[in-house]
Amino acid sequence: MRVFYWNAQGLAKDDARAKLEELYLHNPDIICIAELQVFCTTQFFRKLKLVDFCEDVITNEAGEEKGNIWVLWRNSLARPDVLSSSKQAITLNFAGDITTVHASYDSVERKRLYRQLGLGFIFIPWLELGEFNCVLRLDENKGGRTIKEVYINEFRSWISENGLVEADAIGKKYTWSNFPSGIRRIFSKHDRAILKEALKIWNRTVFGDVQFHLKQAELNLETKNYLLDYDPTDEFQFLKVPDAKKVVDDVRTELAVMVKMKSRVTWLEDGDQKTGFYYNSIRMRRSRNTISELKVSTNTTLFLQEEINDYIC
């Protein structure tokens, strides 16, 4: 099952509908759209030309207020049950729960969202994707005021308390910007996918196998090299290339380990050929040997690896 999320920022525009047609060519099963700025009507839906998609769109429209989230699905899928709906998120039950998020900029409203989406460690397949309007790490924001650590910690706590993990991503690191250009420009990573990693259904549809991770890492390295070629004087970009290469090397090592272990370990569930079990084992072992954050004083905690390295040295 392929699930897409897109912040349209106005779906009535011709270029936005053209972009949706482009996304449709990638054969999604479910499309989640935010900030449409239009009412959901059958007439408007038919203008989108989404062949084989159900016209029975689920939105969070309320009375005369336009909905800021739509969820569309192929006719081959049964209509999902609506488990919860608010101005910030819609949770539906497909083959597992899927939550489309368009979180508020207001920190108090985001706390309400975390409470709405708090399931604890209930063992169900759960994928949450969209715009969370908050970063998980300080290096995910560039420009503007320094992000308050309390907001980051609230976001992290919600993820941890619900047994969630962040899905791997490729492409641009920063998904939001306040201006197209200029010295006042701010970059942030507001969009991401988060899931219950231990359940096999999402391992198949989101993580894929180790070969897919290798392709992701190689594409990331290719992108870093391209950006460095574009501006060879960018020292910050220069430092990113060896880090990206190390990730490629690590994934290649994991693939080699997986192949070796395959001959000795009994595969789960009738010889399934996916590698989530091995990949998770390797990552858990690596995480135990990694310092992800370091508290250096009452009010200061370091999260960036470079800062931790410098402080320890």
Side-chain angles (χ1 to χ4, degrees), residues 165-185:
V165 295
E166 183 180 10
D168 292 347
I170 59 175
K172 294 180 180 179
K173 176 178 180 179
Y174 304 107
T175 63
W176 174 86
S177 177
N178 60 336
F179 294 108
S181 62
I183 60 175
R184 297 172 57 193
R185 193 176 186 188

Side-chain angles (χ1 to χ4, degrees), residues 136-180:
L136 275 176
R137 306 163 191 88
L138 289 175
D139 66 345
E140 290 180 348
N141 187 81
K142 183 178 180 182
R145 297 179 180 178
T146 302
I147 302 297
K148 292 184 178 180
E149 290 187 20
V150 62
Y151 300 150
I152 298 176
N153 291 335
E154 288 172 353
F155 193 17
R156 284 183 168 184
S157 296
W158 168 72
I159 291 175
S160 175
E161 290 168 2
N162 288 277
L164 300 165
V165 295
E166 183 180 10
D168 292 347
I170 59 175
K172 294 180 180 179
K173 176 178 180 179
Y174 304 107
T175 63
W176 174 86
S177 177
N178 60 336
F179 294 108

Side-chain angles (χ1 to χ4, degrees), residues 58 79-86 89-94 96-99 116-117 119 124-126:
I58 292 178
R79 189 185 196 278
D81 295 326
V82 180
L83 304 181
S84 66
S85 180
S86 71
I90 297 177
T91 300
L92 306 174
N93 181 22
F94 284 96
D97 292 352
I98 295 179
T99 298
Q116 173 194 344
L117 302 180
L119 295 181
I124 59 173
W126 189 18

